[in-house]
Amino acid sequence: MNSRLTQIGFSQRVRLEWLERTANLVLAGNEEASIEDALQELLEDKLSVGGNAKRGNREKVITILMKIWVRPPRDLHPLQREGLKLLSHLPREDHIAVHWGMAMAVYPFWGAVAAHVGRLLRLQGTAAASQVQRRVREQYGERDTVSRAARRVLRSFVDWEVLKETSEKGIYTAGLSRTLTQVEVIAWLAEAFLHAHRGGSVALRTVLDSTSLFPFRLSPISATHLVAVSGRLDVLRHSLDQDLIMLRTESLPAAKEGEARFTVVDP
C-alpha cells in the first residue's frame, strides 16, 4: 500500500502564495539549492523569526513546499511536470486548483481533511473544526499530532479563502468556489485524486462530485474525453451508466490523440 496514505506530513499552515512562488522558481529553471535559499529568504520574517532551528516551523514549511513542487515522490513526477505546465498557461485565478491537486497527491492528509470539510458543508452548510478533527482522528489515529495537523490544514483553507470564519469560534462556511471547465485541468485533477486514494479505480462521477475537491465545481465530462487528453488515465466500462477511471500502468500503450482506451467489465 502507498505509505503516503497513512502519513500526516502536512502539519503546518501553508499559504497559497508560498506554493505559487515555489512553482515559479521551478518554472524559471532554478536548482534545488537556490530554490531552498529563496524560500528561506521569503519566509525569514514570517516563520520562526530570529530562529534557525533544524526542525522549526519555517524548516517544516519549506520541506512541504519542496516536496510538493521541487522533489515530489518519484511516482508523482509526471503529475508534477504536467501541473507545472498547466500553471505556466492557466489564468492566475485557476492556479489554486493545480496547487490543491498537487498538495493532495503528495500529502493525501490534505485531501482527507478537505473531504470531511466538504461533506459537512454539503450536509449542513457549515463545518466545525471539532467535527473535522474528530473524523480525521478516526481515520488517522487518536493522537494529538493528528488534531494539530488537521487544525493547521483548516487554517490553510482559510488562508486560501476557500473557507470563511464565522462569528462563532471554530465554525466555518464555504468561501470562494471556482468552476473548472478546461478538460486538461479536470483530467489532471482526476489523476491527482487517484494518487491520493486507496484502490485501483474509482467511478468518474465520484471524482467529479468529490468533497475533497469542495472548492471546485468540475464541469461534467465523459470518460472518453477524459482519457483522450490524458496519457496516464484508463477507463473501465463497469456498466452502461458507470465508467471507472484508473491510473494507467506503464505497460499499456498510450492512447493516440482523441482515442480512448476502454476495458469492458461485466456489471
Side-chain angles (χ1 to χ4, degrees):
M1 186 183 72
N2 187 336
S3 63
R4 289 196 301 272
L5 296 169
T6 58
Q7 295 168 350
I8 297 171
F10 204 112
S11 60
Q12 298 297 312
R13 183 176 179 173
V14 174
R15 294 186 182 274
L16 182 59
E17 59 263 30
W18 300 345
L19 277 168
E20 183 76 8
R21 174 81 175 125
T22 308
N24 284 338
L25 287 164
V26 178
L27 284 166
N30 291 282
E31 299 290 326
E32 273 191 34
S34 59
I35 293 173
E36 204 152 346
D37 289 344
L39 294 177
Q40 284 283 358
E41 192 178 326
L42 173 71
L43 301 177
E44 193 172 15
D45 60 349
K46 297 176 181 68
L47 294 168
S48 307
V49 178
N52 287 297
K54 263 272 185 255
R55 291 306 295 158
N57 287 347
R58 189 197 312 150
E59 296 302 324
K60 288 176 182 174
V61 167
I62 288 173
T63 296
I64 291 169
L65 297 172
M66 295 289 286
K67 194 168 179 183
I68 290 174
W69 281 123
V70 185
R71 42 174 183 253
R74 181 177 293 278
D75 62 313
L76 297 180
H77 285 186
L79 186 77
Q80 176 226 23
R81 285 194 297 271
E82 188 68 27
L84 289 168
K85 200 183 299 180
L86 287 171
L87 289 175
S88 69
H89 70 256
L90 282 174
R92 178 67 184 264
E93 61 267 22
D94 287 341
H95 286 195
I96 182 172
V98 183
H99 293 302
W100 188 280
M102 200 66 199
M104 185 170 72
V106 175
Y107 293 104
F109 184 78
W110 173 275
V113 176
H116 294 305
V117 170
R119 202 168 293 123
L120 288 166
L121 291 175
R122 193 173 286 180
L123 286 171
Q124 57 198 36
T126 59
S130 57
Q131 287 177 296
V132 175
Q133 287 170 310
R134 185 173 69 249
R135 292 175 185 199
V136 174
R137 282 199 308 273
E138 287 168 3
Q139 192 174 349
Y140 282 85
E142 294 289 339
R143 294 173 286 155
D144 285 345
T145 50
V146 175
S147 283
R148 275 200 306 273
R151 191 163 59 243
R152 286 165 178 169
V153 170
L154 286 171
R155 296 306 309 169
S156 299
F157 292 172
V158 173
D159 286 342
W160 291 34
E161 298 181 356
V162 299
L163 277 188
K164 289 191 297 198
E165 294 176 287
T166 65
S167 54
E168 203 175 338
K169 184 172 169 56
I171 306 292
Y172 303 98
T173 57
L176 70 79
S177 177
R178 294 210 56 77
T179 298
L180 302 175
T181 57
Q182 304 97 320
V183 65
E184 293 83 5
V185 177
I186 296 170
W188 184 88
L189 271 178
E191 184 184 349
F193 179 95
L194 286 166
H195 278 293
H197 287 76
R198 286 181 174 85
S201 60
V202 68
L204 175 56
R205 68 181 67 159
T206 299
V207 179
L208 299 179
D209 296 333
S210 174
T211 55
S212 64
L213 300 171
F214 75 87
F216 312 106
R217 292 186 302 273
L218 277 57
S219 294
I221 182 174
S222 70
T224 312
H225 200 178
L226 201 69
V227 296
V229 299
S230 174
R232 294 184 301 279
L233 292 178
D234 268 315
V235 173
L236 293 170
R237 175 59 49 78
H238 186 62
S239 63
L240 285 176
D241 63 346
Q242 186 178 67
D243 288 326
L244 304 180
I245 60 169
M246 60 188 292
L247 294 169
R248 184 170 71 82
T249 56
E250 288 306 310
S251 58
L252 289 174
K256 294 174 185 170
E257 187 66 34
E259 176 185 78
R261 293 170 301 273
F262 284 106
T263 303
V264 178
V265 176
D266 290 332

